[in-house]
Amino acid sequence: MRIGAPGAEKPVARVDDTTYVDLSDIVDDFDEAFFGSGGLARIAPVVAERTEAGQVTPFSGERIGAPIARPHQILCIGLNYRDHAAETGQAVPDEPILFTKSPNTLVGPNDDVRIPRGSTKPDWEIELGIVIGRRTSYLDSVEQARDAIAGYVVVNDVSERYFQMERGGQWSKGKSAETFNPAGPWLATTDEISDVLNLDMWLDLNGERRQTGNTKTMIFDPYFIVHHLSQFMVLEPGDLINTGTPPGVGMGFRPQVWLQPGDVIELGIDGLGSQRQNVIGPR
């Protein structure tokens, strides 16, 4: 986890819901350099030793930042659940649909989501996020992808459908507004998730359940995605991959439902924690 004011977050390891181990004396940040130098393995014995010695700190209402520093890139997979493709009236893809989000969309799990200027169709999408653990390219097999993954996070892939679908068909336009990628609250390492292909996920809007899903209904699972992307680009340590959303997005309702200032979004995934965002208007 990373806690503290925006731009001044400190790296910590969550022990449980009430306490954490401060790692700011041995880790600068959970960034590309950290993941690329074997940082997770390096801190594991420190966290265990400090926890055993009672060197833990209570959470005291600090802001929670995204669990990773701004990544080299945020990659996204579109239409990765069959029922979501159906609700949007689009064909199930033969291979992963790739688009990008600007890395500066990344914010904390409970930070405000800001509707951009000119927006008419802002939408929500709960997703499983993959964090890459080492520099990766041209993987020979899907199995090799397992070792390239550092862990998993909850992501809200906030979208502006008018920008995405009606402004030249360029998805990144509808995905890259500021605050459009809340992530966290924590990064769960791969050993902490017993079966990433069977995680329940949910999203509520103003207390009403909108999305209910499970990662087992993905078309392309996380290992396939990492292997596939590695054939086209170099994945850097700390890169974030958003893996698609189950049905229940605003675009899929009849009539369609769009985010409005004053709305509250709550979402979560088993083992990865939950988020809560207030929706605010444009600057």
Side-chain angles (χ1 to χ4, degrees):
M1 294 181 71
R2 297 165 69 246
I3 60 175
E9 296 93 344
K10 69 177 181 179
V12 307
R14 173 183 175 272
V15 175
D16 52 36
D17 287 342
T18 60
T19 59
Y20 65 86
V21 171
D22 189 343
L23 297 172
S24 58
D25 59 326
I26 61 169
V27 175
D28 291 331
D29 210 343
F30 297 139
D31 55 12
E32 181 176 344
F34 170 81
F35 290 107
S37 63
L40 287 175
R42 189 170 63 251
I43 66 171
V46 177
V47 173
E49 179 182 335
R50 292 182 179 182
T51 302
E52 179 68 23
Q55 297 175 345
V56 299
T57 304
F59 288 107
S60 56
E62 303 96 334
R63 171 187 172 269
I64 301 173
I68 58 173
R70 183 183 295 186
H72 171 259
Q73 58 187 347
I74 299 177
L75 303 169
C76 307
I77 305 301
L79 303 178
N80 196 26
Y81 290 74
R82 292 181 183 275
D83 34 14
H84 171 57
E87 74 173 344
T88 62
Q90 300 178 78
V92 173
D94 294 325
E95 62 179 62
I97 294 173
L98 173 65
F99 62 94
T100 64
K101 300 188 82 155
S102 175
N104 65 7
T105 59
L106 189 69
V107 293
N110 304 317
D111 290 345
D112 293 339
V113 165
R114 183 181 295 278
I115 295 174
R117 294 181 187 180
S119 171
T120 59
K121 299 179 178 181
D123 205 348
W124 59 86
E125 296 188 26
I126 183 170
E127 305 200 4
L128 174 72
I130 301 169
V131 176
I132 296 298
R134 61 176 175 82
R135 200 168 196 265
T136 301
S137 64
Y138 295 120
L139 291 172
D140 292 327
S141 69
V142 170
E143 280 301 311
Q144 285 185 345
R146 295 174 183 267
D147 294 332
I149 297 173
Y152 302 98
V153 298
V154 181
V155 168
N156 187 358
D157 177 22
V158 186
S159 308
E160 212 303 328
R161 304 300 188 186
Y162 170 61
F163 295 173
Q164 177 187 357
M165 310 298 288
E166 302 174 50
R167 295 294 300 273
Q170 299 177 51
W171 284 23
S172 293
K173 284 182 179 178
K175 300 286 188 170
S176 292
E178 62 175 333
T179 75
F180 265 29
N181 208 108
W186 59 76
L187 168 72
T189 52
T190 54
D191 61 296
E192 296 178 294
I193 302 298
S194 60
D195 186 1
V196 73
L197 305 183
N198 188 19
L199 299 177
D200 287 330
M201 49 206 308
W202 57 272
L203 182 145
D204 293 347
L205 179 66
N206 300 323
E208 182 177 353
R209 184 59 45 92
R210 294 295 191 178
Q211 288 188 271
T212 302
N214 188 289
T215 56
K216 66 185 176 184
T217 66
M218 283 182 170
I219 300 168
F220 307 108
D221 68 42
Y223 312 122
F224 184 97
I225 290 169
V226 171
H227 171 262
H228 180 80
L229 295 182
S230 78
Q231 308 306 306
F232 302 97
M233 65 189 72
V234 176
L235 304 175
E236 299 287 0
D239 279 356
L240 176 62
I241 304 172
N242 298 340
T243 61
T245 196
V249 300
M251 180 169 62
F253 283 89
R254 297 294 181 268
Q256 293 174 324
V257 179
W258 307 118
L259 293 171
Q260 305 290 332
D263 283 348
V264 176
I265 312 168
E266 297 174 282
L267 59 152
I269 299 177
D270 281 355
L272 301 178
S274 61
Q275 305 182 354
R276 185 183 191 277
Q277 296 115 30
N278 294 315
V279 179
I280 60 176
R283 290 187 183 278

